[in-house]
Amino acid sequence: MKPSNFKILAILLIAVFLVATSAIWIRLSMEVANNFTIGFSLFLAASRLIISALILIPTVYKIKPSQVSTKAFYYAVIAGICLAGHFASWISSLAFTSIVASTTLVTTNPIWVGLLSRFFLKEKLSKSAILGIAIASVGGVLIALGNEGNINSGSNPLLGNGLALIGAIAASLYLMFGTQAQKSGLSISNYILIAYSTAAIALFPLPLLFGIKYTGHSEIIYVYIALMAILSQLLGHTGFNWALRWLSPTFVTLSILFEPIISSFLGVIVFQEIPPLSILWGGLILLLGVAVAVTGKNQPT
């Protein structure tokens, strides 16, 4: 039985908020450790996914290999590798650029999905999608220019912004392969178990290569990681997947655009990180471009 519209929207709103808190847990962990390096960022990314995968392991009995095509498992594994790339790059971006710039740029994945679909699947871009990409590009330029010389822009905003964009592209590939995995027969619960576990395995050795151990950190850091894994990953992202059962993908995608707004607001409260007007305007224009691209995705060219 379909839940009430109020319940669906309430759960979606909660999911957006929980995902938006991820940037705050990450930045708090970095400040407590006084470590803003890529190695520590990889430790946070790997730990988040390891905890998520471990929580999901009891559901492994639900996977019926004989009832699912091999292709579905391949898609899920590739999606997990892309997810690892997404978190590795995006979490690292928060060590170098502002919360508002990082979270705004990483939510451009609908645009990258459109471009990648055009390149790999030979799908045509609608006029609205092209217009949205152009508008978003203007916003991206304003964000890049607004970072220059600003105290709240991070230690290396150019690197941080680049990592956030890489994170957006990786997230787009994750969504594309994940969609194919589910279309090929995997349920959502089976899919996220395989994808999260693959991502965790892929990320596990990387912090060690940078000299960062999994033990010996402040207890509060492990609390922040657990909050990321449970609230932002399992509840937040699962909330999106659940909402997709009842709402159009376009509506859910548009709702996700509130994530950088919430993250930026929390950043002001927790870290007094007040971005300059140029970044705020750039972020709003970029999100407008994404919204135009998403709403025009299914329109004929």
Side-chain angles (χ1 to χ4, degrees), residues 113-125 297:
V113 168
L115 291 174
L116 290 169
S117 297
R118 174 71 180 88
F119 184 78
F120 290 109
L121 304 178
K122 307 302 180 182
E123 294 181 357
K124 291 184 178 180
L125 290 174
K297 183 178 179 181

Side-chain angles (χ1 to χ4, degrees), residues 15 110 135 180 247 274:
I135 295 173
Q180 291 303 315
L247 301 172
I274 303 175

